[in-house]
Amino acid sequence: MKKRSKIPKGLRFRKSSYSQYTWNQCVEVATHKNLVFVRDSKNPDGPVLQFTPKEWLAFVEGVKNNEFNTF
C-alpha cells in the first residue's frame, strides 16, 4: 500500500458543471503539486482520496469507456 502524504491546506475543490441538477450526489476534485484530491461534496470535512495524475486519468478513461456500469 502506498503511503499518502498529508492533505494540503487551502485546496480549491470544484464540482463538474454536470452536477448542477444533482448537487447532493457529487464528488469534488482539487489539484496540487501534481496530485489529484477527491472528496464527497456532502461531507467536505470527511476523508479525501489522493491520486497521481496517471491514476486519475485511468479512472476517468474507465468512466468514459463504461467500465463501471456492471454495478
Side-chain angles (χ1 to χ4, degrees):
M1 178 183 229
K2 289 187 221 175
K3 183 178 179 184
R4 301 293 187 178
S5 61
K6 286 181 139 182
I7 305 304
K9 298 240 185 244
L11 287 176
R12 297 189 68 173
F13 283 91
R14 63 189 186 279
K15 288 190 265 188
S16 167
S17 59
Y18 291 104
S19 69
Q20 64 185 351
Y21 300 110
T22 58
W23 62 270
N24 62 344
Q25 299 176 17
C26 307
V27 295
E28 297 175 318
V29 178
T31 57
H32 179 73
K33 292 189 177 180
N34 207 30
L35 291 171
V36 178
F37 299 89
V38 181
R39 70 181 182 187
D40 182 345
S41 64
K42 294 184 300 289
N43 188 12
D45 295 322
V48 176
L49 302 176
Q50 178 181 321
F51 302 95
T52 65
K54 186 176 180 180
E55 291 169 329
W56 181 248
L57 289 174
F59 171 74
V60 170
E61 286 302 312
V63 171
K64 288 179 182 178
N65 293 326
N66 298 315
E67 294 177 16
F68 307 109
N69 286 352
T70 59
F71 297 110

